[in-house]
Structures are given as structure tokens and as C-alpha cells.
Amino acid sequence: MRETSFDVVLSERWGEGLVAVESGETVRLDVRLESVHEGILATGDARTRYTGQCGRCLIDIAAPVEVEFQELFAYPGEEANDFEVQDDHVDLETLVRDGIVLALPFQPVCRPDCPGLDPVTGERLADVSDAAPPQSIDPRWSALAEFAPEPAEGTDDSAPRSQT
Ligand SMILES: [Zn+2]
């Protein structure tokens, strides 16, 4: 059995969606290789970082992504295998790449409650609400608050009643 850790700098982009692991990003690998009867069992994890855009408000985002993997690399034989030991080496790239690409979020968001964009102005709603919390009232309008109707009970979920 052998354990090893190493970094790989990507020479190409991994992923096709709103977020991807860009070329030049480093992937950290911790791998344990075990010799078994049929071949070499590779177990480990891979950590890197994806970048891209929030699917709701299109702001740039970056977040870590980590995957665990385990795969038997069979010694070359009669049967065709997806993963084979070649020249006493195991090629982890396909395995790690597929794992990471599958782990990338399909609908990435900058934060779980991202409110997205204002459909009218196209502004980020998160920016708008951060700048002006909804509970603050412009002092020039505060007198009008007295005239605000009391919240009616039971109107939120009741179906429209017949007026006849
Ligand atoms: Zn967002």
C-alpha cells in the first residue's frame, strides 16, 4: 500500500456550466493505492475551487469543491475495463475530472437566499436590500405610517369569497 499527496495544475477548463474549474486552477489530491489481486485500488479525495457566476444575480462567485473517489484499476487482461493499470501507472485524471465536474452545482448561487435581479431595473436585489433595509422608512414619509391599514387576518391564504 502506498499513500501520496500531490497538486495538479489544470491545463484546461473542467466543466461546461455556469461554474467551472478554470485552467490554471490547482487540484489537491490525497491518494491511497492498494495492491489487490485484480489490480490496484485507488482511494482518495480531490479538492479544488470552482469559479463562475451566480445563476440568479450573475455576480462572480468562487467556492471550494471536494470529491472522494474509489476505483479499481485492473491489470490489463482479456476483458476490457474502464480503468486499467498501464505501464505500472494508474491515470487518475478521468476519474477525478468526472467526479469534480459532476460535483459542480448545476444551479450555483452566491448565497442560498440570493434574491436575484430586479425584473424591471435589472439591479441585484441583494445590493438594493443591503443598501436600504426594508424596515427603515424615509423620515419624510413617516407621518404616512399612521395611515397604514392594520394587517388583516386570514386574507393571505383564503380563497376569494363570493360576493353574492
Ligand atoms: Zn446571487
Side-chain angles (χ1 to χ4, degrees), residues 54-59 61 108-111 114-116 124 126:
C54 171
R56 294 186 196 153
C57 72
L58 306 180
I59 195 178
I61 56 174
V109 288
C110 59
R111 63 190 208 202
C114 172
R124 276 188 81 223

Side-chain angles (χ1 to χ4, degrees), residues 63-78:
V65 56
E66 177 170 357
V67 293
E68 295 181 350
F69 56 86
Q70 182 170 64
E71 188 65 54
L72 175 69
F73 288 75
Y75 291 124
E78 310 264 308

